[in-house]
Amino acid sequence: MRRVVIAGLGDSGVLTAIKLAKHAEVVGISSKPGLVSGQELGWRLSRPAEWARHNWIPFDRFRGLDRVRTVQGTLTGVDLDAGKVFLNRPDGIAAAEPYDALVISTGVSNGFWRRPDLQTADEIVGGLRSAHDRMAAAESVIVIGGGAAAVSSAYNVARTWPGKSVALYFPGERALEHHHDRAWEQVRKRLVEAGVQLHSGHRAVIPEGFEFDDITSAPVEFSTGQPSASADAVLWAIGRVRPNTDWLPAELLDEHGFVRVTPELRVPGHRGVFAIGDVAATDPLRSSARNRADGLLARNIMAEFADQPLRSFHPASRRWGSILGIQSDGLEVFAPNGKPFRFPAWSFERILMSLIVRRGIYRGVRDNQPTV
């Protein structure tokens, strides 16, 4: 049986591993002891225990990973000719994993909620609690950024703590510039109803050496001429992502550090090497992370083993999906054309998460959830 190493077990890596588990020997390498999703930041900050139930899942809870050997460690390099990846385990011992096919799915870093650092389960839970407590203690909150993470954070903080002053600053005329206009109009109304103060045309000055690793309280300066702004808590969610590719040779990367891929998600010039998710330079939005490309990638890996034709990934032209996360009245999902579809609140746990996500997408998830 051929051996596939999946470097990175975030959302895309886990799903790809599940798809391949019945057809190949799969080894997954992760710096975490489970899936810690980078999605739904607003939900994570405002209701961490609820968020964790669906987005912080130890690997042994996934029935679909029962045939997958998961290894915790930090990736340090790859020998493309010999077909090996190298890593340091949590105890500091160096190790190597040989492969017949390699999937690069190490994702990106973007603030304290998306970090490649080696972490224990206790450290993950501690991080969830501390960010929530920081927001809970603040009387005023500023969110910097115009993407879904920023918009969702401002909305959920305002809804969870109605007495707070919450302001959202973004550089363009509108936020959610990669979503359809209809989606922004709907979300803008929700923000105003929740009491979020909207400040368009404000481009924040990023402090020198700032790593976006924490919620801050320093005043925010703007390069667009407006006075500085201050709050008890400042959340930077500006979308300045850094690909987690320090362990890869430069020949695999584009000018921004993302992994170059063909339409088939194959790394050019290297048979058996593929990339998926936010780290893969598939298109300007790097949309294979959100368009279920895991099934196509798993099929292409097995097709390459059998010397059969590979299929192409066709990216969406706009962002789509949930923006504000689950609320008391349900979950609103936006299609690429900006039209919303609502899952009623009663259906979120019973149908969407239980049947569609846990059983359908993840092939079964056990109930022993860590306490947050």
Side-chain angles (χ1 to χ4, degrees), residues 14-72:
V14 165
L15 290 171
T16 303
I18 289 172
K19 292 289 194 309
L20 287 167
K22 292 184 179 180
H23 309 288
E25 179 189 355
V26 181
V27 178
I29 301 172
S30 173
S31 61
K32 314 289 192 263
L35 171 64
V36 184
S37 177
Q39 303 300 311
E40 304 285 5
L41 176 59
W43 187 13
R44 172 176 172 154
L45 288 169
S46 60
R47 291 160 286 154
E50 183 183 306
W51 177 91
R53 192 161 60 247
H54 304 294
N55 295 284
W56 150 227
I57 308 173
F59 294 133
D60 60 7
R61 289 188 61 210
F62 290 99
R63 297 185 188 277
L65 294 180
D66 285 349
R67 300 186 185 189
V68 175
R69 179 165 66 87
T70 58
V71 179
Q72 188 173 8

Side-chain angles (χ1 to χ4, degrees), residues 147-309:
V151 168
S152 168
S153 297
Y155 181 77
N156 279 280
V157 168
R159 284 288 302 269
T160 302
W161 296 285
K164 292 188 190 303
S165 169
V166 181
L168 175 66
Y169 291 82
F170 48 95
E173 293 183 5
R174 50 161 282 193
L176 301 178
E177 63 177 8
H178 295 305
H179 290 73
H180 197 283
D181 290 348
R182 291 193 194 98
W184 166 238
E185 282 305 310
Q186 290 291 324
V187 171
R188 185 186 64 78
K189 292 176 183 177
R190 307 275 192 280
L191 290 165
V192 172
E193 290 169 357
V196 176
Q197 305 159 39
L198 302 180
H199 299 274
S200 62
H202 285 64
R203 184 172 297 278
V205 176
I206 301 170
E208 185 176 353
F210 187 53
E211 294 293 334
F212 310 101
D213 290 341
D214 202 359
I215 297 168
T216 69
S217 58
V220 180
E221 306 288 338
F222 300 99
S223 63
T224 38
Q226 300 90 348
S228 62
S230 299
D232 297 329
V234 179
L235 173 65
W236 292 79
I238 63 173
R240 179 169 288 193
V241 300
R242 302 182 301 279
N244 298 322
T245 53
D246 291 347
W247 62 285
L248 293 171
E251 66 185 89
L252 302 190
L253 311 178
D254 67 9
E255 66 273 22
H256 303 295
F258 296 92
V259 181
R260 293 183 294 111
V261 290
T262 68
E264 296 77 25
L265 303 181
R266 180 197 277 162
V267 176
H270 296 279
R271 182 177 173 84
V273 182
F274 299 81
I276 189 173
D278 287 315
V279 77
T282 51
D283 60 282
L285 299 180
R286 298 184 306 281
S287 60
S288 68
R290 284 158 289 277
N291 285 282
R292 297 305 312 278
D294 50 280
L296 180 143
L297 175 56
R299 183 200 175 279
N300 280 355
I301 290 171
M302 300 311 298
E304 182 150 293
F305 286 157
D307 291 320
Q308 296 176 350

Side-chain angles (χ1 to χ4, degrees), residues 70-107:
T70 58
V71 179
Q72 188 173 8
T74 301
L75 290 154
T76 58
V78 59
D79 186 330
L80 297 167
D81 295 326
K84 291 182 181 180
V85 295
F86 304 98
L87 64 144
N88 287 331
R89 298 180 184 275
D91 56 11
I93 296 176
E97 293 288 347
Y99 63 82
D100 295 301
L102 171 65
V103 175
I104 301 167
S105 54
T106 43

